[in-house]
């Protein structure tokens, strides 16, 4: 009976180790390079970079939750385009960052609803996405293209 129990435990450990090896972790993404590609490949006019230390003021994202970030806004139109790409310190930080960006997106969507129908329609299509510890928000008419460029960098 003891041999069966030991064999079961060994089999279970082997399954755990094999399943851990089978997962496809998100590779490192150079957010600065992705940001540069967005600016180079898409018709973005006069982007204004947002330094990491400003994320708390603008989005409520705490510095200790951020490993790296690449963010910018453009000031054309009634509402600025916003690009926020953050590598969180860990999974819990990614969840907090995602929540902060969801809150921000909801706020600007309500503002646009009361002010600018075109921006409102645009913001309704925007979404916060999390891949591993990377959290993104692309609020732009080119959000789909931005997301595609980011997705290619992740995969």
């Amino acid at each position: 009976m003891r041999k069966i129990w030991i064999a079961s435990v060994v089999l279970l450990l082997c399954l755990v180790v094999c399943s851990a090896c089978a997962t496809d972790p998100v590779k490192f993404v150079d957010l600065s390079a992705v940001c540069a590609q967005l600016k180079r490949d898409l018709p973005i006019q006069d982007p204004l970079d947002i330094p990491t230390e400003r994320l708390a003021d603008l989005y409520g994202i705490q510095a200790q939750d951020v490993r790296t970030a690449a963010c910018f806004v453009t000031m054309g139109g009634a509402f600025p385009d916003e690009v926020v790409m953050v590598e969180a310190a860990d999974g819990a930080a990614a969840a907090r960052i995602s929540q902060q960006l969801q809150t921000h997106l909801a706020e600007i969507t309500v503002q646009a609803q009361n002010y600018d129908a075109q921006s409102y329609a645009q913001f309704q299509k925007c979404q916060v996405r999390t891949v591993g510890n990377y959290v993104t928000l692309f609020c732009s008419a080119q959000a789909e293209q931005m997301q595609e460029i980011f997705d290619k960098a992740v995969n």
Side-chain angles (χ1 to χ4, degrees), residues 114-155:
N114 296 324
Y115 183 71
D116 180 42
Q118 184 178 1
S119 294
Y120 176 65
Q122 174 184 310
F123 292 151
Q124 285 186 306
K125 296 176 186 175
C126 297
Q127 53 186 299
V128 175
R129 293 192 181 173
T130 302
V131 179
N133 288 340
Y134 293 94
V135 184
T136 61
L137 172 61
F138 300 113
C139 283
S140 170
Q142 298 131 18
E144 289 180 21
Q145 296 97 326
M146 291 175 174
Q147 189 65 53
E148 288 173 10
I149 290 170
F150 179 81
D151 290 345
K152 286 179 185 175
V154 170
N155 297 322

Side-chain angles (χ1 to χ4, degrees), residues 5-69:
W5 187 80
I6 291 173
S8 298
V9 170
V10 169
L11 180 61
L12 180 63
L13 287 174
C14 287
L15 289 172
V16 169
V17 168
C18 288
S19 67
C21 293
T23 59
D24 188 18
V26 175
K27 68 179 184 178
F28 169 77
V29 178
D30 184 346
L31 296 179
S32 295
V34 174
C35 190
Q37 183 178 356
L38 293 174
K39 292 174 185 177
R40 181 183 67 241
D41 294 355
L42 299 175
I44 296 170
Q45 295 182 352
D46 302 322
L48 177 63
D49 291 333
I50 301 171
T52 303
E53 55 271 4
R54 292 280 312 190
L55 294 178
D57 296 335
L58 297 171
Y59 304 102
I61 298 171
Q62 300 305 308
Q64 65 269 19
D65 285 343
V66 178
R67 181 168 290 145
T68 60

Side-chain angles (χ1 to χ4, degrees), residues 68-126:
T68 60
C71 312
F72 66 86
V73 296
T74 63
M75 298 313 287
F79 287 88
D81 285 357
E82 297 184 53
V83 172
V84 182
M85 299 180 289
V86 179
E87 180 186 8
D90 56 34
R96 288 189 295 273
I97 292 168
S98 177
Q99 183 58 50
Q100 293 295 338
L101 292 177
Q102 292 283 2
T103 300
H104 176 73
L105 179 58
E107 290 170 353
I108 61 174
T109 301
V110 168
Q111 291 172 3
Q113 183 179 18
N114 296 324
Y115 183 71
D116 180 42
Q118 184 178 1
S119 294
Y120 176 65
Q122 174 184 310
F123 292 151
Q124 285 186 306
K125 296 176 186 175
C126 297

